[in-house]
Amino acid sequence: MSLSPPNTKKKSLRKRKLPQIAVKIYVDYLQRLWGETSPDERRHIAQDKARDAVKTVQHLMLGEEYTARELLSKEDKQAVKAREHMLEACRLLLASMDKTSVVSDENEKTIIEVERNKDLAVQSPTYLESLSRVKQEGGERSESIITTNNTKNIAKPKKKKKSQRSILFGATMGAVVACWVFSGNYIFTGLFTLMTILGQLEYYRMVMNAGIYSARRISVVGACSMFITALFAPDLHQLCLPFMTLAAMMWFLMMRQQVTNISEIATTVTGMLYLGYIPSFWVRLRLLGAARGETRLAPLVEPLLNFLGTKASNLPAFIPKSIHLPITTGAIFIFWTWLCIAFSDVGAYFAGRRFGKTKLATLSPAAGATSPNKTVEGLIGGCVVSGLLGLLGAWIQKWPWWYVTGAVHGVLLALLGLIGDLTASMLKRDAGLKDFGDLIPEHGGIMDRVDSFIFTAPYSYFICSLVIPQLKRW
Protein backbone atom coordinates (compact mmCIF):
# COMPACT_ATOMS: atom_id res chain seq x y z
CA MET A 1 0.00 0.00 0.00
CA SER A 2 1.64 3.21 -1.19
CA LEU A 3 1.22 6.41 0.71
CA SER A 4 1.25 9.66 -1.25
CA PRO A 5 3.61 12.29 0.14
CA PRO A 6 2.04 15.23 2.00
CA ASN A 7 3.23 17.73 -0.63
CA THR A 8 1.17 16.07 -3.35
CA LYS A 9 -1.89 16.09 -1.07
CA LYS A 10 -1.47 19.80 -0.42
CA LYS A 11 -1.14 20.50 -4.15
CA SER A 12 -4.26 18.50 -4.95
CA LEU A 13 -6.19 20.35 -2.23
CA ARG A 14 -5.02 23.68 -3.63
CA LYS A 15 -6.13 22.71 -7.13
CA ARG A 16 -9.56 21.79 -5.81
CA LYS A 17 -9.85 25.10 -3.98
CA LEU A 18 -8.79 27.24 -6.97
CA PRO A 19 -12.31 27.44 -8.50
CA GLN A 20 -13.76 28.31 -5.10
CA ILE A 21 -11.16 31.04 -4.59
CA ALA A 22 -11.83 32.47 -8.07
CA VAL A 23 -15.59 32.52 -7.46
CA LYS A 24 -15.12 34.17 -4.05
CA ILE A 25 -12.86 36.88 -5.50
CA TYR A 26 -15.36 37.56 -8.29
CA VAL A 27 -18.40 37.67 -5.98
CA ASP A 28 -16.66 39.89 -3.41
CA TYR A 29 -15.53 42.35 -6.07
CA LEU A 30 -18.98 42.32 -7.69
CA GLN A 31 -20.71 43.01 -4.39
CA ARG A 32 -18.32 45.82 -3.59
CA LEU A 33 -18.83 47.45 -7.00
CA TRP A 34 -22.59 47.04 -6.75
CA GLY A 35 -22.60 48.67 -3.33
CA GLU A 36 -20.36 51.52 -4.49
CA THR A 37 -22.75 52.27 -7.37
CA SER A 38 -25.98 51.88 -5.37
CA PRO A 39 -28.59 54.66 -4.99
CA ASP A 40 -27.47 55.19 -1.38
CA GLU A 41 -23.92 55.81 -2.55
CA ARG A 42 -25.26 58.19 -5.19
CA ARG A 43 -27.03 60.17 -2.47
CA HIS A 44 -23.84 60.29 -0.42
CA ILE A 45 -21.86 61.59 -3.40
CA ALA A 46 -24.55 64.15 -4.25
CA GLN A 47 -24.67 65.33 -0.64
CA ASP A 48 -20.89 65.71 -0.52
CA LYS A 49 -20.90 67.72 -3.73
CA ALA A 50 -23.74 69.90 -2.41
CA ARG A 51 -21.80 70.48 0.81
CA ASP A 52 -18.71 71.46 -1.18
CA ALA A 53 -20.78 73.83 -3.32
CA VAL A 54 -22.29 75.53 -0.26
CA LYS A 55 -18.85 75.89 1.31
CA THR A 56 -17.56 77.41 -1.93
CA VAL A 57 -20.37 79.97 -1.96
CA GLN A 58 -19.74 80.75 1.72
CA HIS A 59 -16.04 81.20 1.10
CA LEU A 60 -16.66 83.56 -1.82
CA MET A 61 -19.17 85.64 0.12
CA LEU A 62 -16.74 86.03 3.03
CA GLY A 63 -13.76 86.77 0.81
CA GLU A 64 -11.90 90.04 0.89
CA GLU A 65 -12.59 90.76 -2.77
CA TYR A 66 -16.36 90.53 -2.41
CA THR A 67 -16.42 92.38 0.95
CA ALA A 68 -14.23 95.24 -0.29
CA ARG A 69 -16.37 95.61 -3.40
CA GLU A 70 -19.51 95.75 -1.28
CA LEU A 71 -18.12 98.38 1.11
CA LEU A 72 -17.54 100.69 -1.83
CA SER A 73 -21.24 100.59 -2.69
CA LYS A 74 -22.73 101.61 0.66
CA GLU A 75 -25.93 102.85 -0.98
CA ASP A 76 -26.81 99.33 -2.17
CA LYS A 77 -28.46 98.16 1.05
CA GLN A 78 -30.33 95.37 -0.71
CA ALA A 79 -27.05 93.71 -1.67
CA VAL A 80 -25.86 93.86 1.94
CA LYS A 81 -29.06 92.25 3.21
CA ALA A 82 -28.97 89.64 0.45
CA ARG A 83 -25.41 88.77 1.41
CA GLU A 84 -26.37 88.37 5.08
CA HIS A 85 -29.33 86.16 4.15
CA MET A 86 -27.10 84.08 1.88
CA LEU A 87 -24.48 83.56 4.59
CA GLU A 88 -27.15 82.62 7.12
CA ALA A 89 -28.68 80.16 4.64
CA CYS A 90 -25.24 78.62 4.03
CA ARG A 91 -24.70 78.21 7.77
CA LEU A 92 -28.11 76.57 8.23
CA LEU A 93 -27.59 74.25 5.28
CA LEU A 94 -24.17 73.12 6.46
CA ALA A 95 -25.44 72.59 9.99
CA SER A 96 -28.37 70.45 8.82
CA MET A 97 -26.15 68.45 6.48
CA ASP A 98 -23.62 67.81 9.22
CA LYS A 99 -26.29 66.68 11.72
CA THR A 100 -27.95 64.23 9.33
CA SER A 101 -24.98 62.73 7.57
CA VAL A 102 -21.66 63.07 9.38
CA VAL A 103 -22.26 60.58 12.19
CA SER A 104 -23.90 57.96 10.00
CA ASP A 105 -21.23 58.31 7.31
CA GLU A 106 -18.40 57.86 9.82
CA ASN A 107 -20.05 54.81 11.37
CA GLU A 108 -20.68 53.24 7.97
CA LYS A 109 -17.14 53.83 6.79
CA THR A 110 -15.71 52.43 10.01
CA ILE A 111 -17.79 49.26 9.80
CA ILE A 112 -16.82 48.78 6.13
CA GLU A 113 -13.15 49.15 6.99
CA VAL A 114 -13.51 46.63 9.79
CA GLU A 115 -15.22 44.13 7.50
CA ARG A 116 -12.50 44.54 4.87
CA ASN A 117 -9.78 43.95 7.46
CA LYS A 118 -11.26 40.60 8.47
CA ASP A 119 -9.26 38.72 5.89
CA LEU A 120 -6.04 40.48 6.88
CA ALA A 121 -6.26 40.86 10.61
CA VAL A 122 -5.54 38.13 13.11
CA GLN A 123 -8.79 37.12 14.74
CA SER A 124 -7.72 38.01 18.26
CA PRO A 125 -10.07 38.82 21.17
CA THR A 126 -8.95 42.47 20.95
CA TYR A 127 -10.04 42.65 17.33
CA LEU A 128 -13.42 41.03 17.99
CA GLU A 129 -14.00 43.39 20.90
CA SER A 130 -13.28 46.36 18.65
CA LEU A 131 -15.68 45.05 15.99
CA SER A 132 -18.56 44.64 18.45
CA ARG A 133 -17.83 48.07 19.93
CA VAL A 134 -18.14 49.63 16.46
CA LYS A 135 -21.53 48.10 15.83
CA GLN A 136 -22.93 48.77 19.31
CA GLU A 137 -21.58 52.21 20.19
CA GLY A 138 -22.03 53.76 16.73
CA GLY A 139 -18.39 53.87 15.80
CA GLU A 140 -17.30 56.74 18.09
CA ARG A 141 -13.52 56.74 18.39
CA SER A 142 -13.51 53.13 17.14
CA GLU A 143 -11.59 53.74 13.99
CA SER A 144 -8.45 54.69 15.86
CA ILE A 145 -8.81 51.79 18.32
CA ILE A 146 -9.20 49.21 15.56
CA THR A 147 -6.39 50.69 13.55
CA THR A 148 -3.97 50.44 16.45
CA ASN A 149 -5.06 46.89 17.33
CA ASN A 150 -4.79 45.69 13.75
CA THR A 151 -1.42 47.27 13.15
CA LYS A 152 -0.04 45.40 16.13
CA ASN A 153 -1.40 42.05 14.96
CA ILE A 154 -0.87 42.30 11.21
CA ALA A 155 2.55 41.37 9.99
CA LYS A 156 3.73 43.37 7.04
CA PRO A 157 4.14 41.07 4.01
CA LYS A 158 7.46 40.96 2.32
CA LYS A 159 7.48 42.72 -1.01
CA LYS A 160 8.66 40.82 -4.03
CA LYS A 161 10.23 42.43 -6.99
CA LYS A 162 7.67 43.95 -9.30
CA SER A 163 9.31 42.58 -12.43
CA GLN A 164 9.09 39.00 -11.16
CA ARG A 165 5.43 39.42 -10.26
CA SER A 166 4.68 40.99 -13.64
CA ILE A 167 6.39 38.19 -15.57
CA LEU A 168 4.65 35.49 -13.53
CA PHE A 169 1.31 37.25 -13.85
CA GLY A 170 1.74 37.68 -17.62
CA ALA A 171 2.65 34.03 -18.14
CA THR A 172 -0.28 32.85 -16.01
CA MET A 173 -2.76 35.13 -17.72
CA GLY A 174 -1.46 34.05 -21.14
CA ALA A 175 -2.12 30.40 -20.33
CA VAL A 176 -5.56 31.20 -18.89
CA VAL A 177 -6.56 33.29 -21.92
CA ALA A 178 -5.39 30.56 -24.33
CA CYS A 179 -7.58 28.02 -22.53
CA TRP A 180 -10.44 30.52 -22.52
CA VAL A 181 -10.26 31.16 -26.28
CA PHE A 182 -10.49 27.43 -27.02
CA SER A 183 -13.03 26.62 -24.30
CA GLY A 184 -16.02 26.55 -26.64
CA ASN A 185 -18.69 29.07 -27.57
CA TYR A 186 -20.73 28.76 -24.37
CA ILE A 187 -17.88 29.08 -21.87
CA PHE A 188 -16.20 31.82 -23.92
CA THR A 189 -19.40 33.89 -24.00
CA GLY A 190 -20.28 33.19 -20.36
CA LEU A 191 -16.91 34.34 -19.03
CA PHE A 192 -17.00 37.38 -21.33
CA THR A 193 -20.43 38.30 -19.94
CA LEU A 194 -19.22 37.98 -16.34
CA MET A 195 -16.25 40.22 -17.12
CA THR A 196 -18.58 42.72 -18.76
CA ILE A 197 -20.65 43.04 -15.58
CA LEU A 198 -17.56 44.01 -13.61
CA GLY A 199 -16.38 46.39 -16.35
CA GLN A 200 -19.79 48.07 -16.45
CA LEU A 201 -19.82 48.63 -12.70
CA GLU A 202 -16.26 49.99 -12.78
CA TYR A 203 -17.34 52.38 -15.52
CA TYR A 204 -20.42 53.61 -13.65
CA ARG A 205 -18.48 54.01 -10.42
CA MET A 206 -16.12 56.29 -12.34
CA VAL A 207 -19.08 58.20 -13.82
CA MET A 208 -20.66 58.61 -10.38
CA ASN A 209 -17.46 60.06 -8.98
CA ALA A 210 -17.73 62.70 -11.70
CA GLY A 211 -21.21 63.64 -10.41
CA ILE A 212 -23.20 61.92 -13.20
CA TYR A 213 -25.91 59.37 -12.32
CA SER A 214 -26.71 57.05 -15.20
CA ALA A 215 -29.14 54.15 -15.62
CA ARG A 216 -26.87 51.51 -14.12
CA ARG A 217 -29.15 48.46 -14.08
CA ILE A 218 -30.47 48.91 -17.62
CA SER A 219 -26.96 49.40 -18.95
CA VAL A 220 -25.65 46.22 -17.28
CA VAL A 221 -28.62 44.19 -18.53
CA GLY A 222 -28.26 45.71 -22.00
CA ALA A 223 -24.55 44.92 -22.25
CA CYS A 224 -25.09 41.31 -21.14
CA SER A 225 -27.95 40.88 -23.61
CA MET A 226 -25.64 41.89 -26.46
CA PHE A 227 -23.23 39.04 -25.70
CA ILE A 228 -26.02 36.49 -25.31
CA THR A 229 -27.73 37.66 -28.50
CA ALA A 230 -24.43 37.51 -30.39
CA LEU A 231 -24.16 33.83 -29.36
CA PHE A 232 -27.70 32.55 -29.88
CA ALA A 233 -29.15 35.02 -32.43
CA PRO A 234 -26.27 36.77 -34.23
CA ASP A 235 -28.60 38.09 -36.95
CA LEU A 236 -30.45 40.15 -34.33
CA HIS A 237 -27.28 41.36 -32.62
CA GLN A 238 -27.31 44.80 -34.22
CA LEU A 239 -30.81 45.49 -32.79
CA CYS A 240 -29.71 45.24 -29.15
CA LEU A 241 -28.18 48.69 -28.85
CA PRO A 242 -31.15 50.70 -30.25
CA PHE A 243 -33.69 48.70 -28.25
CA MET A 244 -31.75 48.99 -25.00
CA THR A 245 -31.28 52.72 -25.65
CA LEU A 246 -35.07 52.95 -26.01
CA ALA A 247 -35.47 51.09 -22.71
CA ALA A 248 -33.06 53.50 -21.00
CA MET A 249 -34.97 56.53 -22.31
CA MET A 250 -38.28 55.05 -21.12
CA TRP A 251 -36.76 54.56 -17.68
CA PHE A 252 -35.47 58.14 -17.59
CA LEU A 253 -38.93 59.45 -18.54
CA MET A 254 -41.06 57.22 -16.32
CA MET A 255 -38.96 56.50 -13.22
CA ARG A 256 -37.01 59.70 -12.65
CA GLN A 257 -38.74 62.48 -10.72
CA GLN A 258 -36.72 65.22 -12.39
CA VAL A 259 -35.66 65.94 -15.95
CA THR A 260 -32.61 63.90 -17.00
CA ASN A 261 -29.66 65.87 -18.34
CA ILE A 262 -27.53 65.22 -21.40
CA SER A 263 -24.60 63.83 -19.41
CA GLU A 264 -26.71 61.07 -17.83
CA ILE A 265 -28.16 60.01 -21.18
CA ALA A 266 -24.79 60.13 -22.92
CA THR A 267 -22.95 58.13 -20.26
CA THR A 268 -25.69 55.47 -20.20
CA VAL A 269 -25.58 54.94 -23.97
CA THR A 270 -21.77 55.12 -24.00
CA GLY A 271 -21.57 52.39 -21.33
CA MET A 272 -23.71 50.02 -23.41
CA LEU A 273 -21.80 50.86 -26.58
CA TYR A 274 -18.26 50.93 -25.21
CA LEU A 275 -18.50 47.92 -22.90
CA GLY A 276 -21.34 45.96 -24.51
CA TYR A 277 -21.99 46.30 -28.20
CA ILE A 278 -18.44 46.83 -29.47
CA PRO A 279 -16.66 44.02 -27.54
CA SER A 280 -19.54 41.59 -28.19
CA PHE A 281 -18.22 41.27 -31.75
CA TRP A 282 -15.60 38.91 -30.30
CA VAL A 283 -18.44 36.44 -29.69
CA ARG A 284 -19.69 36.78 -33.26
CA LEU A 285 -16.15 36.33 -34.49
CA ARG A 286 -15.71 33.12 -32.53
CA LEU A 287 -18.80 31.59 -34.16
CA LEU A 288 -17.24 31.86 -37.62
CA GLY A 289 -16.02 28.68 -39.31
CA ALA A 290 -17.56 25.82 -37.36
CA ALA A 291 -15.85 23.48 -39.80
CA ARG A 292 -12.40 24.84 -39.09
CA GLY A 293 -9.99 25.34 -41.92
CA GLU A 294 -6.66 23.57 -42.14
CA THR A 295 -3.70 25.39 -40.64
CA ARG A 296 0.01 24.71 -40.84
CA LEU A 297 0.08 23.67 -37.20
CA ALA A 298 -2.74 21.12 -37.60
CA PRO A 299 -0.42 18.07 -37.97
CA LEU A 300 1.44 19.07 -34.78
CA VAL A 301 -1.70 19.75 -32.76
CA GLU A 302 -3.65 16.68 -33.91
CA PRO A 303 -2.01 14.21 -31.43
CA LEU A 304 -2.75 16.59 -28.55
CA LEU A 305 -6.39 16.92 -29.61
CA ASN A 306 -6.74 13.14 -29.85
CA PHE A 307 -5.26 12.74 -26.38
CA LEU A 308 -7.65 15.33 -24.93
CA GLY A 309 -10.53 13.60 -26.71
CA THR A 310 -9.77 10.27 -25.05
CA LYS A 311 -9.47 11.95 -21.66
CA ALA A 312 -12.75 13.80 -22.16
CA SER A 313 -14.60 10.51 -22.64
CA ASN A 314 -13.88 9.66 -18.99
CA LEU A 315 -15.39 12.92 -17.71
CA PRO A 316 -19.07 13.44 -16.77
CA ALA A 317 -21.25 13.88 -19.84
CA PHE A 318 -22.18 17.50 -19.14
CA ILE A 319 -18.55 18.71 -19.26
CA PRO A 320 -17.77 17.73 -22.89
CA LYS A 321 -21.22 18.98 -23.96
CA SER A 322 -20.57 22.40 -22.42
CA ILE A 323 -17.42 22.80 -24.54
CA HIS A 324 -19.26 23.51 -27.78
CA LEU A 325 -17.02 23.86 -30.86
CA PRO A 326 -13.72 24.39 -29.01
CA ILE A 327 -11.72 25.09 -32.17
CA THR A 328 -13.16 27.23 -34.96
CA THR A 329 -11.71 29.49 -37.60
CA GLY A 330 -12.82 32.44 -35.50
CA ALA A 331 -11.18 31.03 -32.36
CA ILE A 332 -7.84 30.60 -34.15
CA PHE A 333 -8.15 34.13 -35.52
CA ILE A 334 -8.91 35.50 -32.03
CA PHE A 335 -5.90 33.69 -30.55
CA TRP A 336 -3.43 35.24 -32.98
CA THR A 337 -5.16 38.63 -32.87
CA TRP A 338 -5.03 38.81 -29.09
CA LEU A 339 -1.41 37.68 -29.20
CA CYS A 340 -0.61 40.63 -31.49
CA ILE A 341 -2.43 43.10 -29.24
CA ALA A 342 -0.82 41.84 -26.04
CA PHE A 343 2.73 41.81 -27.41
CA SER A 344 2.29 45.19 -29.09
CA ASP A 345 2.00 46.62 -25.57
CA VAL A 346 5.14 44.72 -24.55
CA GLY A 347 7.04 45.92 -27.62
CA ALA A 348 5.88 49.50 -27.11
CA TYR A 349 6.98 49.42 -23.46
CA PHE A 350 10.50 48.13 -24.09
CA ALA A 351 11.06 50.21 -27.24
CA GLY A 352 9.89 53.36 -25.47
CA ARG A 353 12.02 52.60 -22.45
CA ARG A 354 15.14 51.95 -24.54
CA PHE A 355 14.82 54.41 -27.43
CA GLY A 356 11.99 56.75 -26.40
CA LYS A 357 12.89 60.40 -26.95
CA THR A 358 10.09 61.85 -29.08
CA LYS A 359 6.90 62.34 -27.12
CA LEU A 360 3.59 61.36 -28.68
CA ALA A 361 2.49 64.98 -28.29
CA THR A 362 4.59 65.87 -31.36
CA LEU A 363 2.14 63.87 -33.49
CA SER A 364 -1.01 64.68 -31.55
CA PRO A 365 -1.16 67.19 -28.67
CA ALA A 366 -4.38 65.65 -27.33
CA ALA A 367 -2.93 62.13 -27.33
CA GLY A 368 0.25 63.37 -25.67
CA ALA A 369 -1.70 65.17 -22.96
CA THR A 370 -3.80 62.04 -22.39
CA SER A 371 -0.75 59.81 -21.87
CA PRO A 372 2.39 61.93 -21.39
CA ASN A 373 4.74 58.93 -21.01
CA LYS A 374 4.02 57.45 -24.43
CA THR A 375 6.59 58.07 -27.18
CA VAL A 376 6.70 57.77 -30.96
CA GLU A 377 9.52 55.22 -30.67
CA GLY A 378 7.34 53.12 -28.39
CA LEU A 379 4.51 53.29 -30.91
CA ILE A 380 6.85 52.14 -33.69
CA GLY A 381 8.18 49.31 -31.51
CA GLY A 382 4.65 48.11 -30.77
CA CYS A 383 3.73 48.18 -34.45
CA VAL A 384 6.88 46.21 -35.39
CA VAL A 385 6.27 43.47 -32.81
CA SER A 386 2.58 43.21 -33.67
CA GLY A 387 3.38 43.18 -37.40
CA LEU A 388 5.85 40.30 -36.97
CA LEU A 389 3.33 38.26 -34.99
CA GLY A 390 0.72 39.12 -37.60
CA LEU A 391 3.03 37.69 -40.28
CA LEU A 392 3.45 34.48 -38.30
CA GLY A 393 -0.28 34.15 -37.68
CA ALA A 394 -1.14 34.82 -41.32
CA TRP A 395 1.37 32.20 -42.48
CA ILE A 396 0.01 29.60 -40.04
CA GLN A 397 -3.60 30.32 -41.05
CA LYS A 398 -2.67 30.17 -44.76
CA TRP A 399 -3.90 33.65 -45.63
CA PRO A 400 -3.52 34.76 -49.25
CA TRP A 401 -0.49 37.04 -49.66
CA TRP A 402 0.30 36.39 -46.00
CA TYR A 403 3.52 38.43 -46.16
CA VAL A 404 1.41 41.54 -46.85
CA THR A 405 -1.94 40.86 -45.20
CA GLY A 406 -0.34 39.61 -41.97
CA ALA A 407 1.93 42.62 -41.59
CA VAL A 408 -0.84 45.12 -42.32
CA HIS A 409 -3.18 43.32 -39.95
CA GLY A 410 -0.63 43.38 -37.13
CA VAL A 411 0.16 47.09 -37.55
CA LEU A 412 -3.54 48.02 -37.63
CA LEU A 413 -4.14 46.01 -34.47
CA ALA A 414 -1.35 47.90 -32.69
CA LEU A 415 -2.82 51.26 -33.76
CA LEU A 416 -6.37 50.33 -32.78
CA GLY A 417 -5.11 48.99 -29.46
CA LEU A 418 -3.38 52.31 -28.84
CA ILE A 419 -6.64 54.15 -29.55
CA GLY A 420 -8.42 51.96 -27.02
CA ASP A 421 -5.68 52.58 -24.46
CA LEU A 422 -5.81 56.34 -24.97
CA THR A 423 -9.62 56.33 -24.80
CA ALA A 424 -9.53 54.66 -21.39
CA SER A 425 -6.82 57.11 -20.28
CA MET A 426 -9.03 60.04 -21.33
CA LEU A 427 -11.91 58.71 -19.23
CA LYS A 428 -9.70 58.17 -16.18
CA ARG A 429 -8.02 61.54 -16.52
CA ASP A 430 -11.35 63.35 -16.74
CA ALA A 431 -12.63 61.49 -13.66
CA GLY A 432 -9.39 62.04 -11.74
CA LEU A 433 -8.62 58.31 -11.39
CA LYS A 434 -5.42 56.35 -11.80
CA ASP A 435 -7.11 52.97 -12.32
CA PHE A 436 -10.67 51.85 -12.92
CA GLY A 437 -10.47 49.28 -10.13
CA ASP A 438 -8.25 47.19 -7.90
CA LEU A 439 -9.26 43.63 -8.78
CA ILE A 440 -5.76 42.69 -9.96
CA PRO A 441 -2.95 43.97 -7.71
CA GLU A 442 -0.64 46.43 -9.56
CA HIS A 443 -2.70 45.98 -12.73
CA GLY A 444 -5.96 47.74 -11.86
CA GLY A 445 -9.46 46.57 -12.72
CA ILE A 446 -11.09 44.80 -15.63
CA MET A 447 -11.26 47.91 -17.81
CA ASP A 448 -7.56 48.60 -17.25
CA ARG A 449 -6.74 45.18 -18.75
CA VAL A 450 -9.14 45.10 -21.72
CA ASP A 451 -8.99 48.69 -23.00
CA SER A 452 -6.75 47.72 -25.94
CA PHE A 453 -9.10 44.91 -26.97
CA ILE A 454 -12.31 46.95 -27.35
CA PHE A 455 -12.00 48.79 -30.66
CA THR A 456 -10.16 45.86 -32.27
CA ALA A 457 -13.29 43.66 -32.00
CA PRO A 458 -15.43 45.00 -34.91
CA TYR A 459 -12.33 45.44 -37.07
CA SER A 460 -11.30 41.81 -36.46
CA TYR A 461 -14.81 40.57 -37.26
CA PHE A 462 -14.75 42.56 -40.51
CA ILE A 463 -11.37 41.10 -41.53
CA CYS A 464 -12.21 37.49 -40.68
CA SER A 465 -15.76 37.45 -42.06
CA LEU A 466 -15.35 39.55 -45.22
CA VAL A 467 -11.80 40.51 -46.20
CA ILE A 468 -9.96 37.17 -45.86
CA PRO A 469 -12.73 35.09 -47.52
CA GLN A 470 -12.90 37.60 -50.37
CA LEU A 471 -9.13 37.45 -50.88
CA LYS A 472 -9.28 33.64 -51.00
CA ARG A 473 -11.81 33.80 -53.81
CA TRP A 474 -9.54 35.87 -56.01
Side-chain angles (χ1 to χ4, degrees):
M1 182 177 179
S2 61
L3 296 176
S4 58
N7 291 334
T8 57
K9 289 184 178 179
K10 290 181 180 179
K11 290 181 180 178
S12 62
L13 289 174
R14 288 175 185 174
K15 289 180 180 179
R16 292 176 185 176
K17 290 182 179 179
L18 279 178
Q20 299 175 1
I21 295 172
V23 171
K24 185 179 184 303
I25 292 174
Y26 179 87
V27 172
D28 291 345
Y29 192 60
L30 176 63
Q31 290 176 346
R32 181 153 63 90
L33 288 175
W34 191 260
E36 291 175 355
T37 55
S38 64
D40 291 337
E41 189 65 23
R42 294 184 184 188
R43 284 190 285 270
H44 285 314
I45 294 175
Q47 196 170 28
D48 290 340
K49 290 184 178 295
R51 186 184 293 109
D52 293 340
V54 173
K55 287 181 178 179
T56 302
V57 172
Q58 188 181 44
H59 177 73
L60 290 174
M61 299 293 288
L62 292 172
E64 294 181 0
E65 295 83 3
Y66 186 87
T67 306
R69 182 180 177 184
E70 192 176 89
L71 290 174
L72 293 176
S73 56
K74 296 180 180 179
E75 298 179 357
D76 195 356
K77 296 182 180 180
Q78 292 182 352
V80 176
K81 290 183 179 180
R83 174 178 174 273
E84 292 176 354
H85 289 314
M86 179 67 73
L87 289 173
E88 182 63 22
C90 290
R91 282 192 290 269
L92 291 174
L93 275 173
L94 290 175
S96 63
M97 288 179 181
D98 292 338
K99 287 181 181 178
T100 56
S101 65
V102 169
V103 176
S104 61
D105 287 347
E106 288 181 355
N107 294 343
E108 184 178 355
K109 288 179 182 178
T110 307
I111 293 173
I112 289 173
E113 288 298 324
V114 172
E115 296 293 338
R116 287 180 183 174
N117 287 334
K118 276 185 178 180
D119 296 333
L120 298 175
V122 179
Q123 299 297 321
S124 61
T126 335
Y127 174 80
L128 296 175
E129 266 178 32
S130 303
L131 178 60
S132 61
R133 197 178 304 131
V134 171
K135 294 181 178 178
Q136 290 176 2
E137 297 180 4
E140 185 179 356
R141 297 175 56 195
S142 57
E143 188 172 357
S144 60
I145 296 172
I146 293 168
T147 305
T148 54
N149 289 335
N150 287 343
T151 52
K152 292 178 182 178
N153 293 329
I154 299 173
K156 294 182 180 179
K158 295 181 180 179
K159 294 184 178 180
K160 299 180 180 178
K161 291 184 179 180
K162 184 176 179 180
S163 59
Q164 294 178 355
R165 287 197 300 265
S166 299
I167 293 172
L168 179 61
F169 176 80
T172 305
M173 288 303 297
V176 170
V177 169
C179 295
W180 176 34
V181 170
F182 297 109
S183 62
N185 292 334
Y186 299 149
I187 297 177
F188 180 82
T189 306
L191 293 178
F192 227 135
T193 305
L194 293 177
M195 286 175 48
T196 299
I197 295 174
L198 297 183
Q200 285 271 319
L201 294 178
E202 288 178 351
Y203 168 79
Y204 284 110
R205 181 175 61 179
M206 174 200 69
V207 169
M208 280 177 53
N209 289 332
I212 304 171
Y213 310 110
S214 309
R216 175 191 57 159
R217 291 185 178 89
I218 290 180
S219 182
V220 172
V221 172
C224 294
S225 69
M226 294 171 192
F227 285 90
I228 297 172
T229 306
L231 175 62
F232 294 106
D235 293 337
L236 303 177
H237 174 243
Q238 63 272 15
L239 297 177
C240 290
L241 183 61
F243 274 110
M244 293 310 301
T245 303
L246 175 63
M249 294 308 304
M250 291 174 63
W251 186 86
F252 280 132
L253 291 171
M254 299 174 66
M255 303 301 294
R256 286 282 178 93
Q257 297 181 359
Q258 296 181 353
V259 178
T260 303
N261 56 43
I262 296 175
S263 300
E264 293 172 345
I265 298 173
T267 51
T268 300
V269 178
T270 301
M272 292 188 288
L273 174 70
Y274 182 62
L275 295 168
Y277 184 69
I278 295 177
S280 62
F281 274 93
W282 289 120
V283 177
R284 295 193 64 178
L285 173 57
R286 205 199 179 284
L287 300 178
L288 297 176
R292 63 181 186 273
E294 191 72 15
T295 64
R296 298 184 192 274
L297 292 181
L300 299 176
V301 180
E302 195 67 29
L304 176 61
L305 295 178
N306 294 332
F307 173 76
L308 294 176
T310 56
K311 291 293 183 181
S313 60
N314 299 326
L315 296 173
F318 70 92
I319 295 179
K321 288 182 180 179
S322 64
I323 304 176
H324 179 253
L325 296 175
I327 301 179
T328 62
T329 301
I332 298 172
F333 187 96
I334 289 174
F335 176 79
W336 286 102
T337 297
W338 285 5
L339 205 64
C340 291
I341 298 171
F343 277 91
S344 69
D345 289 340
V346 176
Y349 172 76
F350 284 105
R353 188 177 180 182
R354 177 67 177 84
F355 306 104
K357 294 181 180 179
T358 309
K359 294 295 184 180
L360 196 61
T362 57
L363 297 180
S364 171
T370 301
S371 186
N373 294 328
K374 283 186 169 47
T375 61
V376 177
E377 292 81 6
L379 172 61
I380 296 173
C383 290
V384 170
V385 173
S386 183
L388 292 175
L389 284 173
L391 281 173
L392 180 60
W395 177 76
I396 290 175
Q397 297 174 80
K398 296 182 179 180
W399 286 6
W401 302 295
W402 59 269
Y403 42 85
V404 176
T405 54
V408 173
H409 177 63
V411 171
L412 289 176
L413 286 174
L415 295 175
L416 291 174
L418 176 64
I419 294 174
D421 188 0
L422 293 175
T423 301
S425 298
M426 280 194 295
L427 295 175
K428 289 186 289 187
R429 185 171 290 274
D430 184 60
L433 299 176
K434 181 183 178 182
D435 294 317
F436 284 106
D438 55 357
L439 176 63
I440 308 171
E442 299 181 0
H443 292 269
I446 291 293
M447 287 184 64
D448 296 295
R449 293 295 90 205
V450 303
D451 51 11
S452 300
F453 295 81
I454 293 177
F455 293 120
T456 51
Y459 158 78
S460 299
Y461 177 77
F462 171 72
I463 294 296
C464 188
S465 63
L466 295 175
V467 176
I468 299 302
Q470 185 63 38
L471 291 176
K472 289 181 177 179
R473 296 189 193 101
W474 289 351

